[in-house]
Amino acid sequence: MEIQHILPGFSPKLSSAPSFPISKQLFSLKFPLLSSSYPSIQSQNFEVPSGAVYPMSISQKDICSSSRRRVSCSSNTADPNKGHEVRAQVTGRRKKLAVFVSGGGSNFRSIHEASKRGSLHGDVVVLVTNKSECGGAEYARNNGIPVIMFPKAKDESDGLCPNDLVDTLRRFEVDLILLAGYLKLIPVELIQAFERSIINIHPSLLPAFGGKGHYGMKVHKAVIAFGARFSGPTVHFVDEHYDTGRILAQRVVPVLANDTAEELAARVLREEHQLYVEVVEALCEDRLVWRKDGVPLIRSKENPDEFC
Ligand SMILES: Nc1nc2c(c(=O)[nH]1)N[C@@H](CN(C=O)c1ccc(C(=O)N[C@@H](CCC(=O)O)C(=O)O)cc1)CN2
Ligand SMILES: NCC(=O)N[C@@H]1O[C@H](COP(=O)([O-])[O-])[C@@H](O)[C@H]1O
């Protein structure tokens, strides 16, 4: 496949990674520059949201210089003449977002806050939950965001069936569905109705530590029990199974020898809040590109030939 090694820089060369003192601070992996041994990618055809296909060349520069490179690759461009930042203008209609939660909703809050401060070109128009009294639902009600129940739970009086949920989200004119700590299986009716428009954030480096039974603290306990040295959040597209959809973005954090599951969870969650906001900002700015082999990529805001 002509783009077999397009992103080798993403795999950390651990032999060159510096050793870290046992401390609770984050570190950034240095990703190797793309060496000349990798086939150069001169021009590839990519699908773009409008469906048009146009050649795009990807130079052999280091596509991501560190694990902490912002997905949006910094949207501000300082104007030397004016001495202040000039935010790149975003055109097009603001995207309408539906967020699905089951718990506290800290990722939901991060996205809503980014929308309110203007860095995210979209609005949360509806919250969906299976737990009417969860923290995410309370936050939505306190911020005037409609809350709908799905699926219909035994101990809940109301709730929608899959087809009614699709109809309801269509009435809200939803463009993008964001799962954020939602613990139920998304039905195939929704996946078919919102093709390539449902993403999820998972608290491990998929495909490791994913699938049925892998949620919340269970994930972090398994990471520690297996002795994994790295973990971190994954944002992926949602298909009909748990955590098997195409990976869109990841961040890496260290797993320290004396970590508790709670300490690891907190370290990963901090990265989740940043990563999810940056990914949703990119999607709201139509910076998503589908590689010919079906892998989704996020185009850099600074240089359309670079990917995050
Ligand atoms: N069709 C899909 N639906 C959902 C996905 C997905 O990738 N495809 N992601 C999950 C989120 N998730 C991991 O990121 C996840 C959530 C829940 C479970 C799980 O095992 N749930 C239990 C029920 C838990 C409960 O009710 O408290 C179960 O199904 O037995 C695994 C992974 C959201 N939906
Ligand atoms: N497999 C799904 C899963 O485990 N999701 C995880 O649930 C937490 C929700 O936190 P939040 O409600 O504060 O956003 C997050 O850590 C998210 O990655």
Side-chain angles (χ1 to χ4, degrees):
M1 179 185 298
E2 70 269 23
I3 44 177
Q4 284 289 349
H5 300 295
I6 185 172
L7 306 172
F10 273 39
S11 52
K13 200 182 335 177
L14 297 184
S15 56
S16 65
S19 61
F20 293 92
I22 298 290
S23 67
K24 299 283 182 198
Q25 50 198 321
L26 211 53
F27 74 119
S28 69
L29 280 176
K30 295 296 172 210
F31 287 88
L33 285 169
L34 297 184
S35 72
S36 57
S37 65
Y38 289 110
S40 69
I41 290 98
Q42 291 312 315
S43 73
Q44 303 296 334
N45 285 333
F46 289 86
E47 297 167 27
V48 291
S50 61
V53 175
Y54 61 91
M56 174 185 293
S57 68
I58 299 176
S59 61
Q60 278 213 0
K61 284 187 299 183
D62 176 12
I63 288 175
C64 256
S65 58
S66 86
S67 67
R68 291 185 52 76
R69 177 164 181 170
R70 283 175 54 84
V71 165
S72 61
C73 308
S74 81
S75 56
N76 299 330
T77 49
D79 179 335
N81 302 320
K82 297 179 184 162
H84 62 273
E85 285 183 341
V86 176
R87 288 191 66 79
Q89 293 304 314
V90 181
T91 59
R93 176 177 64 83
R94 288 175 68 88
K95 296 292 193 286
K96 295 180 188 290
L97 311 173
V99 181
F100 285 48
V101 302
S102 295
S106 68
N107 276 288
F108 162 43
R109 288 203 303 274
S110 299
I111 286 162
H112 184 241
E113 285 162 3
S115 170
K116 287 194 298 184
R117 69 172 174 265
S119 69
L120 193 154
H121 195 55
D123 299 293
V124 180
V125 297
V126 62
L127 183 97
V128 181
T129 185
N130 62 311
K131 298 281 186 187
S132 59
E133 298 311 312
C134 72
E138 185 178 345
Y139 176 88
R141 285 188 282 266
N142 292 341
N143 284 274
I145 298 171
V147 176
I148 54 180
M149 296 295 298
F150 178 81
K152 185 167 180 50
K154 301 182 194 62
D155 56 344
E156 299 275 358
S157 57
D158 54 351
L160 297 175
C161 70
N163 287 326
D164 288 348
L165 176 63
V166 170
D167 293 344
T168 302
L169 295 179
R170 289 264 190 257
R171 279 202 300 277
F172 277 101
E173 299 178 325
V174 167
D175 298 297
L176 194 56
I177 296 173
L178 315 176
L179 312 186
Y182 186 68
L183 300 184
K184 293 302 185 186
L185 191 69
I186 297 295
V188 65
E189 294 89 340
L190 199 63
I191 290 163
Q192 289 174 345
F194 290 89
E195 190 180 358
R196 286 186 166 181
S197 302
I198 309 176
I199 62 175
N200 176 55
I201 191 158
H202 178 79
S204 77
L205 295 173
L206 292 176
F209 305 106
K212 187 174 177 67
H214 285 85
Y215 56 92
M217 290 307 291
K218 293 170 182 274
V219 174
H220 305 296
K221 287 175 180 171
V223 167
I224 289 172
F226 271 83
R229 274 18 180 218
F230 298 97
S231 190
T234 299
V235 179
H236 64 94
F237 280 92
V238 168
D239 64 17
E240 63 273 21
H241 307 291
Y242 280 138
D243 304 328
T244 56
R246 295 287 191 165
I247 291 172
L248 179 55
Q250 293 183 308
R251 279 259 179 99
V252 177
V253 300
V255 181
L256 304 180
N258 58 350
D259 265 342
T260 64
E262 290 71 19
E263 288 168 328
L264 177 59
R267 192 177 305 130
V268 172
L269 190 61
R270 278 194 295 275
E271 293 303 304
E272 290 184 42
H273 293 160
Q274 293 182 34
L275 182 63
Y276 217 5
V277 166
E278 290 169 11
V279 167
V280 178
E281 285 175 348
L283 297 185
C284 289
E285 295 166 17
D286 294 324
R287 285 191 280 119
L288 174 67
V289 177
W290 290 89
R291 215 167 60 187
K292 283 178 74 174
D293 61 355
V295 171
L297 301 172
I298 289 175
R299 209 184 312 149
S300 158
K301 193 151 195 162
E302 294 166 307
N303 179 350
D305 276 352
E306 279 192 5
F307 296 89
C308 305

